[in-house]
Amino acid sequence: MDAPSFNSVLDSAEVQAFATGFPTTVAQLVATLLLLAVGAIFYVWLTPWKEIALVRQGNTAAALALAGILVGLAVPLAVSLSVSTSIKDIVLWGVAAVVLQLLAFRIVDLILTGLPQRIRDGEVSAAVVLVGAKLATALILAAALTG
């Protein structure tokens, strides 16, 4: 490719849009992933059972429950990311989504009494019910975020 045509490619609207938009995309991704990590850490800290230790011991029910938490947090965060227009927007709505989702998760934990012990005991069926309830709340919260 000769220099004039290479320069014209670099000066094209598509390349300029990418050069402008890519750093913003990366910043938004990092902000959302940080919110996901913080939300997951808070959830693990708040749970009555120690999911990470149970997963390390090979407890499939705990692993499934933890995976459900990650997806349950990611769904409203993804919607928040898709409807936000700036990093400030993402952080504001992302924090709100994480707080509301953690509150909803806690309520589900309280309503579905006995599940924590069953998950500690490795009952996959209990984890499936817990994951279903948490994903349902995630989808409802995600829809609420779209206004």
Side-chain angles (χ1 to χ4, degrees):
M1 189 178 270
D2 61 12
S5 62
F6 183 69
N7 286 337
S8 65
V9 169
L10 290 178
D11 290 336
S12 70
E14 294 84 2
V15 171
Q16 293 303 312
F18 177 80
T20 303
F22 186 70
T24 302
T25 300
V26 171
Q28 292 173 338
L29 174 65
V30 168
T32 303
L33 289 174
L34 285 173
L35 287 166
L36 176 63
V38 168
I41 289 167
F42 271 107
Y43 181 82
V44 167
W45 182 64
L46 292 172
T47 56
W49 62 93
K50 301 300 172 210
E51 288 172 328
I52 302 296
L54 292 171
V55 170
R56 286 185 179 140
Q57 295 169 5
N59 186 319
T60 304
L64 185 59
L66 184 58
I69 297 311
L70 293 173
V71 174
L73 286 169
V75 169
L77 284 173
V79 170
S80 173
L81 175 62
S82 72
V83 299
S84 296
T85 58
S86 67
I87 297 289
K88 190 184 336 179
D89 232 11
I90 290 168
V91 171
L92 178 67
W93 286 106
V95 167
V98 167
V99 168
L100 289 172
Q101 192 64 334
L102 290 175
L103 179 62
F105 287 173
R106 201 66 197 121
I107 291 169
V108 166
D109 288 342
L110 293 172
I111 290 171
L112 299 175
T113 57
L115 284 184
Q117 183 58 45
R118 292 175 61 195
I119 288 171
R120 273 193 294 270
D121 294 340
E123 289 186 41
V124 174
S125 60
V128 170
V129 170
L130 187 64
V131 168
K134 291 183 179 186
L135 291 179
T137 62
L139 292 171
I140 292 167
L141 177 58
L145 287 170
T146 63

